[in-house]
Amino acid sequence: PIPGFPQELTTVRVQDPRVQNEGSWNSYVDYKIFLHTNSRAFTAKTSCVRRRYREFVWLRRQLQRNAGLV
């Protein structure tokens, strides 16, 4: 923390799994992702979206690939 500047916090919750297209060959599970932050890097301080598991896999790979850049 820098004196005089508030500490930036980001909270992410993954919850509410739902089966979509249940009973068909192309069924899948998606999850509700809720984000709350006070970070100046985000214009929206709260957001909520639904995403599939495979999108988490994609995000993890992107973060790993770019980890050396951070």
Side-chain angles (χ1 to χ4, degrees), residues 1-2 5 8-11 14-15 17-19 24 27 32 37 40 44 47-49 52-54 57 61 64 68-69:
I2 301 171
F5 288 94
E8 292 188 353
L9 299 171
T10 301
T11 303
V14 178
Q15 56 193 35
R18 289 189 189 163
V19 177
S24 72
S27 66
K32 184 177 182 180
T37 185
R40 291 179 284 158
S47 66
C48 186
V49 295
R52 295 170 76 153
Y53 176 79
R54 72 177 181 192
V57 173
R61 287 183 183 142
Q64 286 175 328
L69 302 175

Side-chain angles (χ1 to χ4, degrees), residues 4-51:
F5 288 94
Q7 184 175 0
E8 292 188 353
L9 299 171
T10 301
T11 303
V12 178
R13 289 191 326 249
V14 178
Q15 56 193 35
D16 190 25
R18 289 189 189 163
V19 177
Q20 304 294 338
N21 300 327
E22 190 169 3
S24 72
W25 284 99
N26 59 350
S27 66
Y28 61 91
V29 177
D30 67 12
Y31 301 85
K32 184 177 182 180
I33 303 157
F34 178 77
L35 176 126
H36 179 77
T37 185
N38 67 351
S39 172
R40 291 179 284 158
F42 291 86
T43 54
K45 300 306 178 191
T46 62
S47 66
C48 186
V49 295
R50 293 199 70 84
R51 293 291 183 259

